[in-house]
Amino acid sequence: MDRLASIAENYKVYLVTGVIEREGYTLYCSVVFFDPQGCYLGKRRKLMPTTAERLVWGFGDGSTTPVFDTPIGKLGAIICWENKMPLLRTAMYAKGIEIYCAPNSDDREVWQPTVRHIAIEGGVFVLSAGQFCLRKDYPPPPEYLLTEWEDELQPDSVVAAGGSVIVAPSGEVLAGPNFEGEGLLTADLDLKDVARAKFSFDAVGHYSRPDILSLIVNERAMKPVTFTSHK
């Protein structure tokens, strides 16, 4: 965390990055946020680990679904396949998210229409950082067997092909997708494009029907043990 804070401060950037967080004896898939002064803003714990991840990671709760109001826009994140959860997306739209970060390890082509749809649905800029790695980035066998096709892999075999992309609220792709290797994507974001998009479609505003459809979000920390005191 100290190293990440230093990177944010040295480069004067808002840094949003995935980490594996440990609390007690439980691991969580999380995203952490830092401002350009290197100050830690907060975290986002993944609510629903994807498929076999549930064997390893704990479940987040509604207490870590922040949207940070920053000088560059309202910043938040949804992790990997959580982006397929429409109610979670709706909750983030209701918090006013404008710069929607979607770190991801799904390098399939189907991910691209997913994030383009989110950009249009939410009237948001989507920044999706796709994981790129080679077999040699992981421990060698037999300590670590990547998949059932481990025998076919060479050290330089691509095992996660990336697909990072930046999408405008209109659904226009501003940068990427990058399937060519590690890289840096940049784009100029005009927040007026958010207002323009929501003028036509605002999922939690003028295009909603709360008399028919509504959502309740529990933001309390769901602790397994609560201590009370008579003092």
Side-chain angles (χ1 to χ4, degrees), residues 48-63:
M48 179 57 65
T50 301
T51 60
E53 293 172 359
R54 295 170 207 169
L55 300 175
V56 181
W57 293 336
F59 292 68
D61 58 35
S63 68

Side-chain angles (χ1 to χ4, degrees), residues 133-184:
C133 37
L134 306 176
R135 178 61 186 90
K136 64 185 179 183
D137 296 326
Y138 295 90
E143 176 187 356
Y144 187 92
L145 297 177
L146 193 62
T147 65
E148 65 276 7
W149 35 275
E150 176 71 53
D151 292 341
E152 303 174 14
L153 298 177
Q154 302 298 319
D156 289 324
S157 296
V158 175
V159 294
S164 296
V165 66
I166 302 175
V167 187
S170 64
E172 176 188 1
V173 175
L174 301 178
N178 175 29
F179 291 102
E180 303 303 319
E182 294 184 0
L184 179 66

Side-chain angles (χ1 to χ4, degrees), residues 7-207:
I7 291 171
E9 182 179 19
N10 290 341
Y11 291 96
K12 307 301 179 188
V13 294
Y14 284 91
L15 179 61
V16 182
T17 189
V19 299
I20 302 303
E21 175 196 359
R22 184 181 66 199
E23 180 176 344
Y25 294 93
T26 301
L27 301 177
Y28 297 92
C29 177
S30 301
V31 163
V32 291
F33 300 80
F34 295 88
D35 71 12
Q37 288 72 49
C39 296
Y40 170 67
L41 298 178
K43 68 185 177 187
R44 169 85 242 288
R45 277 183 180 171
K46 192 173 185 181
L47 295 182
M48 179 57 65
T50 301
T51 60
E53 293 172 359
R54 295 170 207 169
L55 300 175
V56 181
W57 293 336
F59 292 68
D61 58 35
S63 68
T64 63
T65 54
V67 171
F68 300 100
D69 193 356
T70 77
I72 65 169
K74 294 180 180 178
L75 182 66
I78 296 184
I79 303 168
C80 202
W81 275 18
E82 283 188 319
N83 286 281
K84 298 181 179 184
M85 299 171 67
L87 298 184
L88 179 56
R89 298 198 308 265
T90 301
M92 299 299 275
Y93 301 154
K95 291 188 174 189
I97 190 170
E98 296 170 326
I99 301 175
Y100 180 120
C101 298
N104 170 56
S105 61
D106 187 342
D107 60 3
R108 298 175 302 163
E109 181 58 34
V110 71
W111 184 254
Q112 301 304 315
T114 297
V115 292
R116 293 186 71 184
H117 168 77
I118 291 170
I120 296 170
E121 176 186 69
V124 294
F125 288 98
V126 176
L127 284 63
S128 181
Q131 184 183 51
F132 178 86
C133 37
L134 306 176
R135 178 61 186 90
K136 64 185 179 183
D137 296 326
Y138 295 90
E143 176 187 356
Y144 187 92
L145 297 177
L146 193 62
T147 65
E148 65 276 7
W149 35 275
E150 176 71 53
D151 292 341
E152 303 174 14
L153 298 177
Q154 302 298 319
D156 289 324
S157 296
V158 175
V159 294
S164 296
V165 66
I166 302 175
V167 187
S170 64
E172 176 188 1
V173 175
L174 301 178
N178 175 29
F179 291 102
E180 303 303 319
E182 294 184 0
L184 179 66
L185 300 184
T186 62
D188 292 323
L189 310 186
D190 182 357
L191 290 185
K192 292 180 181 178
D193 288 342
V194 173
R196 295 185 185 103
K198 291 184 182 293
F199 180 79
S200 298
F201 181 86
D202 184 355
V204 292
H206 61 80
Y207 226 92

